[in-house]
């Protein structure tokens, strides 16, 4: 036998020994069932459980309605102010003619159609044999009604007072009620055949001047709240691709320019300053009154009785707008802030002075215990600083003032000795109620500024009624803007969860916004403020929902980082096993096909 033949047969034998035995059909079937079982568990059990436990629930939101409120399309707020006229010394025909003439003069003076005055006769004008039913007439936009009015729905009561000695009409506001007295002489009553009269023009000019600042404030709020640029989602139906144009529609631009033109430039500047220094509206404010002194005196103060006499009446007058809580404290050995330059003596003034640039850093926030927020409402801080005897009197260098306002925070007053009610030049151990009277008077004025109270008219009740209407308008627009922000957030982040509580808050917000708009249209401003307050609260609650806000900071990249280490080791064997089974089945199918041929 040739040597080469022996070697070849030996290699063939070795090769035959290395090849695995043929796989039994039973083993193939078991392996296929195992692979199928794993994939069946994954597809029919694992995936549904994973989808159920990890899917993001998104409650349905009325996005179109929300954007319409944000764009100002759902409601155009109007402010019809009811002016009740009491004319006990005029005949009914004379009073109706005077009111009609005054109404025409008011309409000519008014340049802001959303805010208008409606003159009404009160029931006191009715003769004894007249019916108490509605005796209303409508002429040239005038609405005369003999129905009794609710006090909260009346913006102003105008009383016509006969004064024979009056040579020309005069006006006088009542200090403790929203009442305006107009004094006139009998010969100033216009005849029923005249179309105008000096008395009607005087009343119209007085009313227009009374509500000029309110009209400008509302126009300013509406102008600043209108969107200057429309978002893509706000101008398109939900689900439609955004347009490339980002400009506001012409109607919005024209309305905005019209509102801006209706506000005088100087008044607009004053309104902008008032907006920057006033606090955001809240149903409840917390007032903190503090005494700070670098010495050991005064160590106490009669603040309870002083608040009762000098501050509580003002706080009670705000009860229909906001509530207040008050706490007090006395802090001894309080030093200046390190950032403030030490007071310097001015021989010309005979006083120690503080630089004007040091007023903003006068509060030593690091050492003075002034809490920035107590409870749910914002805290308003009022600080009385009593300087030491060797640095008194202490005043501001530029204007010699001893008090100033800290925007959106509170107020400060320096109480220099001798204090009111004390005959000694040294500081008393206890600040009496009389010594605190100028302090609380100053704080009252500062509180009015911080709450955004208008500066005119002179009557405080009228200013508070104006503040009610302004707050109702601002809350309506703020809640509407929050709805728009929530809708844009929902569209911009499809992966964010939207719980049912958010949908409920949105529905409640829209409901109360509708009620607010209807109440404003009907002149029910107290009710409008209540509904606007609820709408603002619900809108803020829905936008700042904790479970929803947390999803904003969990992007998709984090999900990949979590799933990949878990699914990689498990998925590779399953996928490879499935691919082998697919190849085996494909080969078997081809063999059966060839066998049939």
């Amino acid at each position: 036998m040739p040597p080469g033949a022996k070697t070849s047969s030996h290699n063939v034998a070795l090769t035959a020994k290395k090849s695995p035995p043929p796989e039994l059909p039973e083993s193939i079937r078991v392996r296929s069932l195992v692979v199928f079982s794993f994939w069946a568990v994954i597809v029919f059990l694992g995936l549904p459980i994973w989808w159920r436990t990890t899917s993001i629930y998104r409650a349905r939101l009325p996005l179109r309605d929300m954007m319409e409120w944000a764009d100002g399309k759902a409601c155009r707020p109007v402010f019809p102010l009811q002016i009740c006229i009491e004319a006990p010394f005029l005949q009914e025909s004379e009073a109706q003619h005077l009111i009609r003439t005054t109404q025409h003069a008011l309409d000519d003076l008014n340049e802001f159609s959303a805010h208008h005055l409606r003159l009404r006769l009160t029931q006191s004008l009715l003769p004894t044999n007249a019916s108490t039913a509605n005796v209303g007439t409508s002429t040239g936009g005038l609405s005369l009604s003999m129905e009794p009015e609710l006090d909260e729905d009346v913006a102003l009561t105008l009383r016509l007072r006969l004064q024979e000695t009056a040579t020309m009409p005069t006006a006088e506001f009542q200090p403790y009620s929203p009442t305006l007295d107009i004094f006139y002489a009998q010969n100033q009553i216009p005849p029923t055949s005249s179309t105008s009269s000096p008395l009607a023009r005087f009343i119209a000019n007085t009313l227009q001047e009374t509500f000029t600042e309110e009209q400008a404030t509302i126009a300013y709020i509406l102008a600043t709240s209108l969107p200057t640029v429309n978002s893509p989602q706000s101008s398109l139906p939900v689900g439609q691709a955004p347009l490339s144009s980002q400009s506001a529609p012409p109607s919005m631009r024209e309305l905005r320019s019209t509102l801006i033109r209706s506000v005088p430039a100087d008044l607009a500047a004053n309104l902008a300053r008032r907006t920057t220094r006033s606090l955001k509206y809240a149903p409840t404010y917390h007032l903190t009154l503090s005494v700070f002194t670098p010495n050991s005196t005064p160590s106490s103060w009669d603040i309870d009785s002083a608040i009762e006499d000098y501050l509580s009446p003002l706080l009670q007058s705000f009860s229909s707008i906001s509530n207040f809580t008050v706490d007090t404290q006395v802090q001894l050995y309080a030093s200046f802030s390190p950032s403030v330059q030490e007071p310097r003596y001015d021989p010309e003034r005979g006083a120690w002075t503080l630089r004007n640039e040091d007023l903003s850093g006068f509060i030593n926030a690091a050492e003075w215990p002034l809490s920035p927020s107590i409870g749910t409402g914002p805290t308003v801080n009022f600080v009385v600083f009593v300087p030491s005897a060797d640095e008194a009197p202490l005043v501001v260098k530029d204007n010699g003032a001893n008090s100033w306002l800290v925007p959106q925070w509170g107020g400060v007053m320096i109480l220099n000795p001798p204090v009111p009610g004390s005959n000694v030049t040294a500081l008393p151990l206890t600040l009496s109620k009389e010594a605190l009277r100028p302090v609380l008077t100053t704080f009252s004025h500062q509180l009015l500024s911080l709450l955004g109270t208008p500066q005119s008219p002179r009557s405080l009740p009228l200013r508070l009624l104006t503040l009610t209407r302004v707050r109702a308008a601002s809350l309506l627009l703020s809640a509407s803007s929050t709805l728009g922000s929530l809708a844009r957030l929902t569209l911009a982040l499809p992966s964010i969860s939207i719980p049912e509580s958010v949908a409920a808050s949105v529905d409640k917000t829209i409901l109360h916004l509708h009620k607010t708009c209807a109440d404003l249209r009907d002149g029910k401003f107290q009710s409008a403020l209540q509904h606007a307050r609820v709408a603002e609260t619900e809108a803020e609650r829905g936008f700042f929902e904790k479970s929803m806000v947390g999803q904003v900071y969990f992007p998709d990249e984090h999900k990949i980082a979590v799933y990949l280490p878990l699914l990689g080791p498990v998925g590779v064997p399953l996928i490879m096993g499935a691919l082998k089974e697919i190849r085996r089945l494909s080969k078997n199918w081809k063999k059966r096909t060839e066998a049939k041929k």
Side-chain angles (χ1 to χ4, degrees):
M1 179 182 293
K6 183 177 180 180
T7 305
S8 177
S9 63
H10 180 70
N11 292 337
V12 171
L14 291 175
T15 304
K17 291 180 181 179
K18 289 182 180 179
S19 60
E23 192 173 7
L24 298 176
E26 183 67 22
S27 299
I28 296 174
R29 186 168 57 254
V30 171
R31 187 180 69 237
S32 300
L33 290 176
V34 169
V35 173
F36 176 78
S37 300
F38 271 104
W39 279 103
V41 171
I42 292 173
V43 173
F44 297 105
L45 185 62
L47 287 179
I49 294 177
W50 171 80
W51 182 264
R52 180 69 177 175
T53 55
T54 61
S55 62
I56 298 175
Y57 178 75
R58 290 171 63 90
R60 295 182 60 87
L61 298 180
L63 298 179
R64 186 181 301 276
D65 294 341
M66 294 166 66
M67 295 310 305
E68 287 182 353
W69 278 103
D71 293 340
K73 300 176 183 178
C75 173
R76 290 290 179 88
V78 293
F79 303 85
L81 273 61
Q82 299 180 13
I83 311 297
C84 287
I85 308 294
E86 294 182 2
F89 302 102
L90 295 180
Q91 297 294 326
E92 182 178 353
S93 59
E94 293 177 340
Q96 290 183 357
H97 177 70
L98 176 62
I99 293 179
R100 186 179 298 109
T101 306
T102 305
Q103 184 73 63
H104 288 320
L106 276 173
D107 295 339
D108 295 337
L109 293 173
N110 187 21
E111 298 180 355
F112 183 36
S113 59
H115 184 284
H116 54 276
L117 308 180
R118 297 189 303 183
L119 306 182
R120 294 178 180 270
L121 292 174
T122 59
Q123 192 176 5
S124 60
L125 183 64
L126 284 174
T128 55
N129 58 351
S131 171
T132 58
N134 189 10
V135 196
T137 62
S138 179
T139 305
L142 171 65
S143 178
L144 302 178
S145 176
M146 300 303 179
E147 294 179 346
E149 302 288 349
L150 296 176
D151 291 340
E152 65 176 11
D153 297 334
V154 176
L156 175 66
T157 300
L158 191 149
R159 298 186 300 191
L160 296 175
R161 296 300 182 90
L162 182 61
Q163 190 178 43
E164 295 296 343
T165 58
T167 57
M168 58 186 306
T170 58
E172 179 181 349
F173 286 100
Q174 295 297 317
Y176 302 111
S177 64
T179 304
L180 174 63
D181 291 334
I182 300 293
F183 297 95
Y184 68 96
Q186 186 65 38
N187 58 0
Q188 296 170 353
I189 301 298
T192 55
S193 59
S194 64
T195 57
S196 65
S197 69
L199 180 59
R201 288 194 298 271
F202 175 80
I203 297 175
N205 290 330
T206 302
L207 291 176
Q208 183 67 22
E209 181 181 356
T210 300
F211 294 100
T212 294
E213 184 176 356
E214 178 179 339
Q215 288 183 346
T217 303
I218 293 177
Y220 180 82
I221 292 175
L222 294 177
T224 53
S225 66
L226 287 176
T228 56
V229 175
N230 267 14
S231 62
Q233 294 88 347
S234 64
S235 56
L236 296 174
V238 177
Q240 186 172 338
L243 296 175
S244 59
S245 175
Q246 297 288 315
S247 60
S251 59
M252 286 293 179
R253 292 198 299 267
E254 293 173 0
L255 178 59
R256 182 182 176 88
S257 61
T258 301
L259 292 174
I260 293 176
R261 286 196 304 268
S262 64
V263 181
D266 55 343
L267 191 53
N270 292 333
L271 293 175
R273 286 194 297 269
R274 182 196 304 171
T275 303
T276 57
R277 70 168 179 257
S278 60
L279 293 163
K280 182 182 179 182
Y281 174 79
T284 302
Y285 295 94
H286 184 79
L287 306 183
T288 299
L289 278 66
S290 308
V291 169
F292 290 91
T293 177
N295 300 322
S296 60
T297 57
S299 58
S300 62
W301 56 339
D302 192 8
I303 189 61
D304 292 335
S305 59
I307 290 176
E308 183 68 25
D309 291 346
Y310 306 135
L311 189 60
S312 292
L314 176 64
L315 301 183
Q316 291 174 1
S317 63
F318 274 93
S319 59
S320 61
I321 303 175
S322 298
N323 298 319
F324 298 88
T325 60
V326 183
D327 72 344
T328 63
Q329 63 175 340
V330 176
Q331 295 295 328
L332 307 179
Y333 303 104
S335 59
F336 285 111
S337 174
S339 61
V340 176
Q341 187 180 29
E342 290 294 329
R344 294 185 178 182
Y345 186 75
D346 187 354
E348 296 181 359
R349 293 180 181 269
W352 295 81
T353 59
L354 284 171
R355 298 185 308 169
N356 197 52
E357 53 267 27
D358 290 334
L359 298 183
S360 59
F362 181 82
I363 303 298
N364 191 352
E367 299 181 8
W368 294 4
L370 294 171
S371 176
S373 179
I374 299 178
T376 57
T379 299
V380 186
N381 293 281
F382 293 109
V383 174
V384 184
F385 185 80
V386 184
S388 59
D390 55 351
E391 290 186 349
L394 181 63
V395 296
V396 180
K397 182 178 181 180
D398 292 347
N399 52 18
N402 66 338
S403 63
W404 62 91
L405 187 73
V406 181
Q408 300 185 7
W409 185 85
V412 180
M413 180 174 178
I414 300 174
L415 185 61
N416 292 303
V419 298
S422 175
N423 296 326
V424 296
T425 58
L427 289 173
L429 294 176
T430 301
L431 294 178
S432 63
K433 182 178 73 173
E434 187 62 27
L436 295 174
R437 181 173 184 175
V439 174
L440 293 185
T441 301
T442 301
F443 288 164
S444 297
H445 290 288
Q446 293 176 346
L447 179 61
L448 291 175
S449 298
L450 291 169
L451 295 179
T453 309
Q455 299 178 355
S456 64
R458 295 185 300 272
S459 173
L460 179 60
L462 276 178
R463 293 162 63 189
L464 295 180
L465 290 177
T466 295
L467 185 61
T468 299
R469 293 184 283 271
V470 170
R471 289 303 191 188
S474 61
L475 290 177
L476 170 68
L477 299 174
S478 176
S480 302
S481 177
T482 304
L483 285 182
S485 300
L486 179 58
R488 288 188 289 270
L489 178 67
T490 302
L491 294 172
L493 300 175
S495 61
I496 192 173
S497 65
I498 303 177
E500 283 293 341
S501 59
V502 174
S505 295
V506 169
D507 293 338
K508 196 172 182 179
T509 299
I510 294 177
L511 173 63
H512 284 277
L513 285 177
H514 280 294
K515 292 182 178 180
T516 302
C517 193
D519 287 339
L520 290 178
R521 193 181 304 112
D522 296 337
K524 300 177 180 179
F525 301 112
Q526 291 289 350
S527 177
L529 177 60
Q530 300 301 324
H531 289 300
R533 182 187 300 176
V534 176
E536 169 72 4
T537 302
E538 292 297 329
E540 294 287 333
R541 179 182 292 115
F543 187 81
F544 293 104
E545 170 66 31
K546 294 180 180 179
S547 60
M548 185 177 67
V549 174
Q551 293 290 332
V552 178
Y553 308 102
F554 195 78
D556 294 336
E557 290 80 1
H558 289 190
K559 298 178 182 178
I560 297 176
V562 170
Y563 285 125
L564 195 59
L566 299 177
L567 298 181
V570 177
V572 170
L574 290 175
I575 293 174
M576 296 302 296
L579 291 176
K580 289 181 179 180
E581 286 300 313
I582 292 174
R583 284 198 299 265
R584 186 186 64 80
L585 293 175
S586 178
K587 290 180 180 180
N588 293 338
W589 180 77
K590 288 181 180 180
K591 289 180 180 179
R592 287 196 298 269
T593 303
E594 292 176 355
K596 289 181 180 178
K597 291 181 179 179

